[in-house]
Amino acid sequence: KTNHYLPEEEDLNFIAFAAHELRGPITVIRGYLDIIADEFAGRLQGDEQQLMDRLVVSANRLSSYIDNILNVSRFDRHHLKVHLLEDTVANIYASIADDMQLRALTQQRLLSVTLPDDLPTVAADRGSISEVISNLIDNAIKYSFEGGTVQVTAEQRGDFVEVSVIDNGIGMPANV
């Protein structure tokens, strides 16, 4: 029976290895984009700033996809570790706010974020939760209509804090 699962484990190892190897080049690309953005700040003309913003957004999305692949691989191999700490939803969102705003802007979407100040703290792994929220917002941006609004809200529901990401896009079929 062990041999039956071996190819799948090898596939997971290859995927994890490939994703890990992609991390280096995308980190270099993001670093150079930061340098270029700083170097040319205020000097870009016409569509140049929009092109620069799109490059940054694409590099950040690619980096997020790589992180997602690595996390799935770790989860499938039971190596994913989460570190729960007391935090606020506002602090967690703040770690991705600029990137989310830029993603929405480059896709001609309005991002409306309403996170009340009086929400209780949560036990969360900031990296994991920000990744989940980022993926939800990214999908809402991707599948909503140009000029549309993506709403991010949070509210207390019993002992939990519920975060919602709402768009007015094409939606999903009921059977999915």
Side-chain angles (χ1 to χ4, degrees):
K1 288 245 180 200
T2 304
N3 289 342
H4 175 72
Y5 296 103
L6 191 58
E8 187 174 310
E9 180 68 22
E10 287 176 2
D11 289 347
L12 284 174
N13 287 336
F14 174 76
I15 291 168
F17 174 77
H20 183 73
E21 289 299 307
L22 288 171
R23 235 184 183 168
I26 194 61
T27 300
V28 171
I29 290 168
R30 289 175 68 193
Y32 282 129
L33 284 173
D34 287 345
I35 291 169
I36 291 169
D38 289 345
E39 192 68 30
F40 290 98
R43 298 190 322 197
L44 299 178
Q45 299 175 5
D47 291 344
E48 293 171 342
Q49 185 60 55
Q50 186 179 22
L51 293 172
M52 187 68 191
D53 290 345
R54 286 185 177 177
L55 283 170
V56 169
V57 165
S58 294
N60 289 343
R61 285 175 78 181
L62 183 56
S63 184
S64 293
Y65 294 151
I66 292 167
D67 288 342
N68 287 346
I69 291 168
L70 286 170
N71 283 338
V72 167
S73 173
R74 286 184 195 115
F75 179 79
D76 284 347
R77 291 181 295 147
H78 307 290
H79 292 148
L80 181 65
K81 292 181 177 25
V82 293
H83 303 285
L84 299 180
L85 297 172
E86 186 174 1
D87 210 340
T88 66
V89 172
N91 283 342
I92 294 169
Y93 182 76
S95 69
I96 60 170
D98 290 343
D99 189 43
M100 295 297 98
Q101 198 61 45
L102 189 56
R103 288 185 194 188
L105 185 65
T106 60
Q107 297 295 314
Q108 290 81 44
R109 307 297 191 272
L110 178 64
L111 184 59
S112 169
V113 180
T114 306
L115 305 174
D117 293 331
D118 61 347
L119 289 174
T121 57
V122 295
D125 180 306
R126 183 182 286 197
S128 297
I129 296 299
S130 63
E131 189 175 319
V132 169
I133 294 170
S134 175
N135 286 340
L136 292 171
I137 294 170
D138 202 36
N139 283 338
I141 289 169
K142 190 185 315 180
Y143 294 109
S144 61
F145 300 110
E146 187 172 317
T149 299
V150 173
Q151 296 174 310
V152 180
T153 60
E155 64 180 329
Q156 184 173 356
R157 295 246 184 182
D159 292 337
F160 297 93
V161 173
E162 181 179 286
V163 176
S164 299
V165 178
I166 303 165
D167 69 81
N168 295 308
I170 58 175
M172 295 175 63
N175 64 343
V176 175

